[in-house]
Amino acid sequence: MNTYDVVVIGAGVIGSSVAFHLAKFGAKRVLVLDRGTIGAGTTSQSSGILRTHYSVKENVELARQSWSVFNNFAQYLEDDEASCGLVKCGYMIVAPEGDKLEPLRASLQQQQEQGIPLELLNQAQAKELLPIAQFEDAALIGYEPEAGFADAYLVATGFARAARRGGVTIRENVEVQKLQIENGKVVGVSTSIGDIKTSMVISTQNIWTPELAGWTGRSLPVVPERHAVLALECEAAKYTFSMPVFKDLASPGMLYCRSYGGSQMLVSEGVVGEKLKAAEVEQGDIPMDYVVEVGAQVAERFPDYETAGIASSWTGVYDVTPDWNPVLGKLPGIEGLVVGYGFSGHGFKLSPTVGRIIAQEALGLPTDVSLKPYSIERFTTGELLTGKYGLGAVS
Ligand SMILES: Cc1cc2nc3c(=O)[nH]c(=O)nc-3n(C[C@H](O)[C@H](O)[C@H](O)COP(=O)(O)OP(=O)(O)OC[C@H]3O[C@@H](n4cnc5c(N)ncnc54)[C@H](O)[C@@H]3O)c2cc1C
């Protein structure tokens, strides 16, 4: 059979979520193609942090609805064995006096208005939750108890397994080489195993979206950007699973940290990274100067980490759009094409709802959250979704 109702390109956490939701909404002949394996693209490199803290209110809603899925993953997937590896440790965000203070205050207030459970902590309360950190410079501390982190690879494979159970066909090691368009309508895809007929294609190609731009002749702004993640171990301090994820707006790199394995600290910067010329997920160099620089920022906040060592490290690539927010929905002028790309380092926490609304859009159903703010047209109309903290993965 080489005719399908819907073809999804990419089996990362977004494509897998789309596939699961297509089946959930009753789509019958659905095919997912990935040139690699499920979740092995940028999803496998994710730090996995789940929060609803965003300065862009549309993102808060996507994250809020997604959180309830992570919190009831097996039930949502109707698969008793499914797990997303959730560690519900909370999320703490800190700003000192200065330019990040008012954006944080405004974002926290907005979250509260949107009904997110949220506490404002004093320094002593923060220290109680995260005793390995010092808070002397903290002018404002927000704490989201219903947050934490999970495992993006587990989530992608969980969605994929549930999608298969729902009748979806997922083919790994199959490359889509071209989109076939006739009279402005999608009619199929050319692949490494031959042509496949379909009138609906959903592209969740992440950093490989420029291929789609080439096939369609459309401008789809996205830049691959490499980021480094370090796991630190420290004799004098353990970052346990009960300690919250921590966002430090006081540090030059706007660091984020979390427990890694129950005692190590996973840390990375939340600012602009190394722009790459082309999409690739191979490991990049992490220069020693960079490690020293991040280490110094960590030690400012976590004094015991002055003597920490590196347990492991890796690099990962973000699909960055001009406003650090995703493009979701139809591409105007091409019937039968829906895209979901440009997650700019924060797509995992949005993946359940993004998959759901992309599936709804493709099937002609009303979407639970409006796709309009995320349309590709915003790059020409100027209605950008740039966050209050500037460019970087907080958004
Ligand atoms: C270092 C790092 C840390 C991160 N930390 C967080 C975090 O803490 N919290 C958070 O919410 N998000 C985080 N993210 C972001 C999040 O992980 C991503 O937004 C998300 O995983 C993207 O999923 P995806 O499905 O879009 O992409 P991918 O997983 O990259 O999937 C795209 C798939 O498309 C396939 N593909 C592309 N083109 C073709 C083709 N022509 N034919 C066939 N297959 C094709 C690829 O093989 C790939 O498998 C992080 C990302 C990185 C890199």
Side-chain angles (χ1 to χ4, degrees), residues 9-15 33-37 39-50 54 152 174-177 204-208 211 215 227 229 256 314-319 340-341 343-350:
I9 313 175
V13 74
I14 301 294
L33 299 172
D34 199 296
R35 65 153 69 86
T37 52
T42 68
T43 292
S44 62
Q45 304 169 331
S46 188
S47 301
I49 291 170
L50 306 176
Y54 274 105
V174 176
E175 180 178 61
V176 177
Q177 296 163 333
T204 60
Q205 291 177 256
N206 198 277
I207 54 172
W208 296 274
E211 293 175 3
W215 302 333
H227 288 254
V229 182
Y256 66 80
W314 66 92
T315 61
V317 185
Y318 295 1
D319 52 341
Y341 82 93
F343 295 96
S344 309
H346 57 95
F348 170 52
K349 66 180 71 57
L350 310 179

Side-chain angles (χ1 to χ4, degrees), residues 27-109:
K28 287 288 169 256
R29 291 176 304 171
V30 177
L31 174 67
V32 182
L33 299 172
D34 199 296
R35 65 153 69 86
T37 52
I38 296 163
T42 68
T43 292
S44 62
Q45 304 169 331
S46 188
S47 301
I49 291 170
L50 306 176
R51 56 170 158 98
T52 66
H53 184 89
Y54 274 105
S55 66
V56 173
K57 69 172 189 308
E58 288 82 357
N59 289 342
V60 176
E61 187 52 25
L62 289 182
R64 190 182 69 78
Q65 294 196 18
S66 295
W67 170 259
S68 67
V69 175
F70 290 119
N71 214 9
N72 297 292
F73 197 62
Q75 196 187 347
Y76 188 75
L77 265 55
E78 296 176 44
D79 177 357
D80 289 347
E81 289 167 20
S83 166
C84 63
L86 179 65
V87 176
K88 199 168 165 180
C89 55
Y91 175 85
M92 190 188 293
I93 181 164
V94 163
E97 294 294 343
D99 64 340
K100 302 288 185 309
L101 186 58
E102 287 318 311
L104 176 59
R105 201 185 305 282
S107 304
L108 293 173
Q109 193 182 333

Side-chain angles (χ1 to χ4, degrees), residues 190-259:
S190 308
T191 80
S192 52
I193 51 163
D195 288 354
I196 292 161
K197 290 196 186 92
T198 184
S199 56
M200 174 55 66
V201 167
I202 302 176
S203 163
T204 60
Q205 291 177 256
N206 198 277
I207 54 172
W208 296 274
T209 300
E211 293 175 3
L212 181 72
W215 302 333
T216 57
R218 294 302 162 90
S219 164
L220 302 173
V222 64
V223 176
E225 214 180 77
R226 186 181 278 143
H227 288 254
V229 182
L230 310 177
L232 305 180
E233 57 189 347
C234 174
E235 276 288 312
K238 303 282 169 244
Y239 203 136
T240 65
F241 280 142
S242 62
M243 296 179 188
V245 174
F246 184 69
K247 179 72 183 179
D248 194 353
L249 296 173
S251 59
M254 293 205 281
L255 296 187
Y256 66 80
C257 318
R258 48 154 268 211
S259 174

Side-chain angles (χ1 to χ4, degrees), residues 167-188:
V168 172
T169 305
I170 303 180
R171 298 283 308 264
E172 299 174 294
N173 303 309
V174 176
E175 180 178 61
V176 177
Q177 296 163 333
K178 207 181 142 206
L179 191 65
Q180 297 169 347
I181 303 173
E182 281 173 14
N183 303 319
K185 287 186 186 168
V186 168
V187 293

